[in-house]
Amino acid sequence: MTALMGTKIERKTINKNKNCDWLIVGAGYTGLSAARKLGQLNSDKKIIIIDAQLAGEGASGRNSGYLVDTTLNDGFTSNKEISTYKNKTDIYKLGIDTVKKFIEEYQVDCDWNECGKYFGSSTIKDKYILENFSETLSNLGFDHKLLLKNELYKKLGTNFYNCALYTKGGILIHPGKLVRSMIDTLPDNVQLFENSELLRWKNNNNNIYCDFKKAEIVTKNIIFCANGFLKSLGIKENYNFPLTLTASMTRPLTDSEFKSIGEPLEWGVLPVKPLGATIRMTKDRRILIRNTAEVLDQFKMKENDLKNRAKIQAIGIEKRFPNLPKNIINFTWSGIVCRSRNSSQIFDKIENNIFAAGCYNGSGIGVGTLFGEQIAIKASNGKSKEIDLIERRKKPSWLPPQPFLNIGIKTRLFYERFKATAEI
Ligand SMILES: Cc1cc2nc3c(=O)[nH]c(=O)nc-3n(C[C@H](O)[C@H](O)[C@H](O)COP(=O)(O)OP(=O)(O)OC[C@H]3O[C@@H](n4cnc5c(N)ncnc54)[C@H](O)[C@@H]3O)c2cc1C
């Protein structure tokens, strides 16, 4: 998504030794929000933010743009666990509020559209899942509605979906525009270094020594905001793991193609089955689809593998829009997300001078922005009602070591993919 936008001019890389008061690792929503807040709270301190790639080129510039108020695929939909689910949605709400405040304060245009979202399935049997979910949403006061095939066809321009739950509270945004605005509004006392991968770090006598390819940074404090790479940096290793997702986007539909599907307004559908496709009709009439998830550790997927994933996405589009031409995808990309076993997030003071925030289980636009700001407040010895709420969440649960972890994840993904075959 950031690839669709112009390039930022000046880029700096770590090639000389440096000292600082604060080092932030990772320049996505979390790291950039932490840097902004830390810079505001500590105007006299030297703050550095680094990223192994270009800032915003991680998942933050590569996601589907659903700023969610509710999620379905996290196992917390039963009434029995309603207090856990409420805590989760309270955090989502704070996330939305934080992004909204940011874009209002800095006059950011990120194609903000309060159009709600759909949880949809082509399998009518899945209606019972939506009815159960509806009960939870009613108990918590979320405005929503169950829709069936004909109504969905009118809204979405596809008759693929047989049932869906529409929730009014979801917002669609342009993720690349949002992260770019966070880069452009970094305070003056924050220095950004890109293409600077942190290779190793160690904490010794209250100084943290950080090795890069060509130089070292010695910092008094550090905040890890590397999300899908937290585990590889040794942060909460037994509580999170990375997953690689891929997505594709078509060229804008022509007037006649758009007419042929009924000229729908912008919409977003999330799957009822966890590994089904998320699919969006964007404001500029592009179709965006994400329908793969797998275990891979590199920053970006190899070109050939990406081409193969694009074929899966082309099939997903064809299933939903059989009358559109076949070769209309013009971007395919991969991105890495961070997951925990129980879908809970990381927000921690690990040692006196070491902090970490991340692991949003695929819903990090709002929560990442919120956690970034709040971890900066916590690290500055501040307090807030947001921190109190975040700290009431369940903590991520323990995961087995390798190779058992990857065997377990791959088996689970295989099973979920099989269950979602029709929805991919
Ligand atoms: C295809 C896709 C679709 C998604 N759809 C949605 C959606 O619709 N809604 C939603 O809310 N979320 C979605 N997500 C998830 C969302 O993008 C993430 O939760 C969010 O971007 C996390 O932000 P972050 O800043 O914590 O992490 P990231 O944006 O991943 O940033 C972490 C940064 O750390 C850097 N880094 C890692 N290791 C190192 C190192 N050793 N040294 C230096 N830098 C390092 C990386 O380069 C990266 O830029 C999606 C993700 C993907 C991939």
Side-chain angles (χ1 to χ4, degrees), residues 26 28-30 51-53 59-60 63-66 198 227 229 362-365:
Y29 302 130
T30 310
D51 202 291
Q53 315 173 72
S60 295
N63 63 68
S64 309
Y66 295 77
L198 172 61
N227 204 37
F229 296 89
S363 307
I365 300 176

Side-chain angles (χ1 to χ4, degrees), residues 12-113:
K12 291 188 198 147
T13 299
I14 296 287
N15 49 23
K16 269 194 236 142
N17 291 349
K18 294 189 183 297
N19 289 288
C20 60
D21 296 297
W22 288 96
L23 178 67
I24 296 168
V25 182
Y29 302 130
T30 310
L32 292 163
S33 302
R36 185 175 61 254
K37 188 52 98 183
L38 207 57
Q40 289 163 354
L41 295 174
N42 303 277
S43 53
D44 55 332
K45 300 283 185 209
K46 193 168 167 199
I47 300 164
I48 293 179
I49 177 168
I50 51 119
D51 202 291
Q53 315 173 72
L54 297 179
E57 288 283 313
S60 295
R62 298 172 168 267
N63 63 68
S64 309
Y66 295 77
L67 179 48
V68 292
D69 59 334
T70 50
T71 47
L72 169 58
N73 290 316
D74 54 13
F76 292 128
T77 56
S78 73
N79 286 339
K80 203 173 105 215
E81 296 180 280
I82 199 150
S83 62
T84 310
Y85 191 75
K86 180 174 174 352
N87 187 248
K88 192 180 252 304
T89 54
D90 286 346
I91 290 176
Y92 289 149
K93 180 172 180 325
L94 280 182
I96 293 176
D97 293 347
T98 310
V99 177
K100 200 167 185 173
K101 194 161 162 250
F102 169 74
I103 64 168
E104 281 170 5
E105 191 172 338
Y106 292 92
Q107 303 277 297
V108 172
D109 172 11
C110 61
D111 299 346
W112 181 275
N113 187 349

Side-chain angles (χ1 to χ4, degrees), residues 137-171:
L137 295 182
S138 298
N139 285 335
L140 295 177
F142 285 100
D143 206 340
H144 66 283
K145 195 176 169 190
L146 188 70
L147 299 170
L148 297 178
K149 192 174 181 107
N150 289 344
E151 286 162 298
L152 290 167
Y153 177 63
K154 282 186 212 144
K155 301 271 183 205
L156 311 177
T158 164
N159 56 20
F160 177 79
Y161 293 100
N162 275 303
C163 53
L165 201 76
Y166 169 73
T167 63
K168 199 172 167 217
I171 295 144

Side-chain angles (χ1 to χ4, degrees), residues 71-360:
T71 47
L72 169 58
N73 290 316
D74 54 13
F76 292 128
T77 56
S78 73
N79 286 339
K80 203 173 105 215
E81 296 180 280
I82 199 150
S83 62
T84 310
Y85 191 75
K86 180 174 174 352
N87 187 248
K88 192 180 252 304
T89 54
D90 286 346
I91 290 176
Y92 289 149
K93 180 172 180 325
L94 280 182
I96 293 176
D97 293 347
T98 310
V99 177
K100 200 167 185 173
K101 194 161 162 250
F102 169 74
I103 64 168
E104 281 170 5
E105 191 172 338
Y106 292 92
Q107 303 277 297
V108 172
D109 172 11
C110 61
D111 299 346
W112 181 275
N113 187 349
E114 296 187 10
C115 58
K117 64 183 179 321
Y118 299 82
F119 294 99
S121 177
S122 71
T123 314
I124 192 69
K125 273 203 229 144
D126 287 346
K127 194 162 147 258
Y128 85 96
I129 301 176
L130 295 175
E131 282 164 353
N132 283 345
F133 187 40
S134 164
E135 209 175 304
T136 303
L137 295 182
S138 298
N139 285 335
L140 295 177
F142 285 100
D143 206 340
H144 66 283
K145 195 176 169 190
L146 188 70
L147 299 170
L148 297 178
K149 192 174 181 107
N150 289 344
E151 286 162 298
L152 290 167
Y153 177 63
K154 282 186 212 144
K155 301 271 183 205
L156 311 177
T158 164
N159 56 20
F160 177 79
Y161 293 100
N162 275 303
C163 53
L165 201 76
Y166 169 73
T167 63
K168 199 172 167 217
I171 295 144
L172 292 177
I173 61 147
H174 187 305
K177 287 187 183 175
L178 180 63
V179 77
R180 174 58 57 80
S181 65
M182 290 182 181
I183 299 166
D184 292 342
T185 55
L186 279 175
D188 290 344
N189 57 332
V190 174
Q191 281 185 287
L192 167 67
F193 293 92
E194 300 171 283
N195 294 320
S196 303
E197 182 179 0
L198 172 61
L199 300 172
R200 283 169 300 278
W201 63 278
K202 67 171 187 287
N203 193 9
N204 204 346
N205 285 335
N206 291 328
N207 277 322
I208 302 158
Y209 297 83
C210 300
D211 288 345
F212 296 81
K213 200 170 165 193
K214 294 190 183 151
E216 181 187 60
I217 297 182
V218 181
T219 179
K220 294 194 175 75
N221 306 280
I222 194 163
I223 306 182
F224 287 97
C225 303
N227 204 37
F229 296 89
L230 288 173
K231 190 180 177 72
S232 66
L233 286 164
I235 303 300
K236 310 289 290 179
E237 281 170 276
N238 294 324
Y239 296 89
N240 72 95
F241 61 91
L243 271 190
T244 300
L245 311 184
T246 62
S248 288
M249 187 150 66
T250 66
R251 59 163 170 73
L253 300 182
T254 62
D255 285 351
S256 64
E257 287 161 359
F258 195 54
K259 235 183 189 151
S260 75
I261 62 165
E263 302 181 287
L265 296 175
E266 183 176 19
W267 53 255
V269 178
L270 293 161
V272 170
K273 301 259 172 49
L275 283 197
T278 59
I279 182 155
R280 248 184 96 169
M281 175 67 64
T282 67
K283 188 176 147 193
D284 60 348
R285 304 177 180 182
R286 296 172 190 266
I287 299 167
L288 188 161
I289 180 165
R290 184 213 55 76
N291 61 3
T292 74
E294 55 206 296
V295 186
L296 284 178
D297 279 338
Q298 72 249 21
F299 274 100
K300 278 190 188 149
M301 195 179 260
K302 295 188 188 95
E303 272 309 305
N304 237 1
D305 292 337
L306 214 49
K307 277 190 190 143
N308 289 331
R309 305 306 179 276
K311 287 182 194 153
I312 304 175
Q313 274 125 30
I315 293 170
I317 294 176
E318 197 185 335
K319 274 205 249 179
R320 289 158 177 87
F321 299 100
N323 297 329
L324 291 180
K326 303 265 172 291
N327 299 317
I328 51 173
I329 289 180
N330 69 355
F331 289 102
T332 301
W333 63 91
S334 67
I336 296 179
V337 294
C338 187
R339 301 239 17 157
S340 60
R341 187 176 188 161
N342 61 351
S343 295
S344 200
Q345 308 97 347
I346 293 171
F347 183 88
D348 272 294
K349 177 175 184 172
I350 292 169
E351 286 181 37
N352 261 344
N353 53 352
I354 303 178
F355 297 81
C359 195
Y360 310 116

